Amino acid sequence: MPATILIASPEQLTVLKQREDMADATSFSDAEALKALEAITRQRPDVVILERQFASTSPGAALVNRIKAGPGLVACEIRIVSY
């Protein structure tokens, strides 16, 4: 089970995955938000990291709300990072 899931645009994923604290994260592009939500619900990661631009979109906000409302995801930390 991954401890971290990262969601950002494909271009931003490339750069963010180079950061030491995100190198081992399971990553999804912003277009894969539903797939990411399935993984989050199934795997219950410790941390979900969203790139700021994605988090400010309607799909990003909806994803955050689903995580916060999800049973069993109360302990899941949501982090917003800048590209």
Side-chain angles (χ1 to χ4, degrees):
M1 164 169 59
T4 304
I5 290 182
L6 170 64
I7 306 164
S9 72
E11 301 82 28
Q12 295 164 341
L13 279 176
T14 302
V15 174
L16 291 171
K17 290 285 287 182
Q18 293 175 6
R19 290 177 46 169
E20 186 176 324
D21 59 335
M22 296 183 206
D24 294 332
T26 300
S27 58
F28 294 91
S29 75
D30 53 0
E32 300 175 304
L34 289 177
K35 187 176 175 182
L37 179 60
E38 290 173 16
I40 293 164
T41 303
R42 185 177 61 254
Q43 299 171 359
R44 298 180 182 179
D46 298 326
V47 179
V48 174
I49 301 173
L50 305 173
E51 199 285 321
R52 182 184 51 80
Q53 289 180 334
F54 171 65
S56 67
T57 65
S58 293
L63 179 64
V64 168
N65 289 335
R66 292 284 302 270
I67 294 168
K68 287 182 177 182
L73 297 176
V74 176
C76 182
E77 179 183 346
I78 300 172
R79 292 184 193 162
I80 309 298
V81 297
S82 292
Y83 163 64

